[in-house]
Amino acid sequence: MRRVWAFVILVLAALVFAAWASDFITMQGERTVYTVECHNGVWAADLCSGNLVAGHRYRYRALKPHNEVIFWTVGTKERSGKFDECAITDGRNWVCQPGSDAPRSITLEMSGGKPVPGPASVTRPFRAVSKWRWLLLTRGVSSHKPVPLTAAASVPAS
């Protein structure tokens, strides 16, 4: 009987870890976008000719009652930003109008929990990866898998 319970606990622990590593479990209304950078090389299409390293983490929190989204770059001293004019369905689905803080953000919209690239002249370009891949990169484990540039969108209508 102990072996059965040990197996059940092990399976549950593995499921919880998988949910955490895939960002399936997050704080309500909050999403984190994990980015990568190409050091000592250049991007050739979707491949880095140098060292692929973990980039910044951009965290977004949707505040539905206020129709606003706040964001910050995790681990930096850069001040947080805020979008005031937002249509928010939930933390994984929202769209905002560009504001004065838009140039410090990578997106003006989240759809299905994924960032929709903002206009190139308004937001920062980025290459996003999964949380588990970002964590491996922070530990020095790299791969030569492609990392597509998230293409810029058109400017949203005011």
Side-chain angles (χ1 to χ4, degrees), residues 24 30-31 38 49 61 127 139 145:
F24 181 76
E30 198 168 283
R31 298 298 299 163
C38 183
S49 65
R61 182 175 296 155
R127 292 178 189 258
R139 304 298 186 268
K145 291 186 179 180

Side-chain angles (χ1 to χ4, degrees), residues 9 27 77-78 81 117 134 140:
I9 289 170
M27 292 186 66
K77 294 184 186 254
E78 185 176 25
W134 188 89

Side-chain angles (χ1 to χ4, degrees), residues 22-50:
S22 66
D23 259 359
F24 181 76
I25 297 174
T26 61
M27 292 186 66
Q28 187 173 1
E30 198 168 283
R31 298 298 299 163
T32 303
V33 180
Y34 300 87
T35 65
V36 293
E37 298 173 5
C38 183
H39 278 244
N40 300 322
V42 295
W43 290 103
D46 295 343
L47 294 173
C48 173
S49 65

Side-chain angles (χ1 to χ4, degrees), residues 43-63:
W43 290 103
D46 295 343
L47 294 173
C48 173
S49 65
N51 299 321
L52 189 64
V53 297
H56 291 296
R57 291 174 290 165
Y58 295 90
R59 191 159 294 153
Y60 294 85
R61 182 175 296 155
L63 304 171

Side-chain angles (χ1 to χ4, degrees), residues 40-114:
N40 300 322
V42 295
W43 290 103
D46 295 343
L47 294 173
C48 173
S49 65
N51 299 321
L52 189 64
V53 297
H56 291 296
R57 291 174 290 165
Y58 295 90
R59 191 159 294 153
Y60 294 85
R61 182 175 296 155
L63 304 171
K64 189 173 183 177
H66 303 285
N67 293 325
E68 63 187 26
V69 172
I70 58 172
F71 65 91
W72 62 97
T73 307
V74 180
T76 69
K77 294 184 186 254
E78 185 176 25
R79 66 179 178 84
S80 61
K82 182 169 88 168
F83 298 127
D84 292 318
E85 300 176 41
C86 302
I88 301 170
T89 304
D90 55 35
R92 294 175 185 252
N93 298 285
W94 48 263
V95 61
C96 300
Q97 295 299 316
S100 61
D101 288 335
R104 295 187 301 112
S105 176
I106 59 171
T107 189
L108 299 171
E109 179 179 356
M110 198 71 67
S111 178
K114 304 275 188 217

